Amino acid sequence: MTRAALQELFDRHPSNPILTVADLPYRANSVFNPGAGRVGGETLLLVRVEDLRGISHLIVARSADGATAWRFDEEPLIVPEPDRHPEEIWGCEDPRLTWLPEREEWVIAYTAYSRRGPLVSLAMSRDFTDVRRLGPAMPPEDKDAALFPRRIDGRWAMIHRPSPLRGGAHIWISYSPDLHHWGDHELLLEARDGAWWDAGKIGLGPPPLETADGWLVCYHGAHGTASGPIYRVGLALLDLDDPRRVLRRTDEWVFGPQAPYERGGDVNKVVFPTGWVLDEATGTLSLYYGAGDSVIALATANLADILALMRTVPAG
Ligand code: BMA
């Protein structure tokens, strides 16, 4: 597949950015990096809001068509509760939403920003009118986590991104019998090195999506430059029965900052996908992402086109 074909995989929505801080019912600095799902026949985004102190919380927005006429809830859903959850002292960020059919509830994996660094926290919700916190699942530094929608060999599985002191930040997979105790940690996808677009630091985007060809994984790579990192997006496929097996991974990025709202913001040159919604009837995959750490944007692709592209990537 040529670069031109890769770049055409995702189409930016004409009404991008689909959400800005001006749409919020109160003053804040920015909205970005939303979790996404279909709830009650509508598209729901759990939006990260950075307030005017720099601390983030999460609020629900809903839209019938997933692109326009968004309605925010009056109150945020997840506000840091440092008295009961000291790990949330500096905010709750970057949620990923996974529907768990077995439990008939959503699991929200979000970054709690503790005094000792960001960590992975989990919370449960049936319909996003209230939440039940499970607390930290991974100690700091760890972020960019999401759960698989079903058990694999009897256990829940989570992808996440610890940041060790040396050797770059890579994507790991861990397992749990009960969503509380996590173990059997294994390195899943490594950041590449040197001049590569995904050298040094990568992290999961939206939750893994089950397809006939494997679990589709979308991840970001941050390539350091003299003017700061550029955040771009690549894809991988994991074995359905054993997601520790990486079947394919794109060499080239499939989406990167091009539009003005992606190239300029509080942080320049950032596209940061955190949610996607598949329309089973049409095969349209809607990718929701933070742009420039300032606004929320939408790009769509056809799942069949994505899988056709993945088949051209060498297996291995
Ligand atoms: C990552 C996270 C995201 C942010 C991105 C780009 O490390 O902190 O919340 O969107 O950097 O600045």
Side-chain angles (χ1 to χ4, degrees), residues 32-33 48 93-94 143-144 161 201 220 231 267 270 272 293:
F32 55 119
N33 301 1
R48 171 179 174 188
E93 307 179 348
D94 302 355
K143 52 164 63 173
D144 299 327
R161 205 287 305 282
K201 186 162 119 175
H220 62 261
Y231 278 76
V267 184
V270 174
F272 199 87
D293 280 11

Side-chain angles (χ1 to χ4, degrees), residues 87-171:
E87 71 278 3
E88 295 181 357
I89 183 133
W90 288 335
C92 300
E93 307 179 348
D94 302 355
R96 274 76 163 185
L97 313 181
T98 307
W99 173 248
L100 307 180
E102 178 192 316
R103 296 175 58 112
E104 295 188 332
E105 59 182 344
W106 294 85
V107 57
I108 306 166
Y110 61 101
T111 302
Y113 197 164
S114 82
R115 280 187 194 279
R116 293 291 168 256
L119 57 78
V120 175
S121 275
L122 301 182
M124 312 302 296
S125 183
R126 288 204 179 270
D127 58 5
F128 292 93
T129 57
D130 56 15
V131 286
R132 190 176 83 255
R133 283 166 164 84
L134 301 186
M138 296 290 164
E141 291 207 355
D142 206 322
K143 52 164 63 173
D144 299 327
L147 273 80
F148 289 74
R150 59 173 172 84
R151 294 175 191 261
I152 291 156
D153 275 341
R155 294 186 300 173
W156 301 106
M158 173 164 59
I159 293 178
H160 58 112
R161 205 287 305 282
S163 293
L165 283 175
R166 63 181 69 233
H170 313 283
I171 293 178

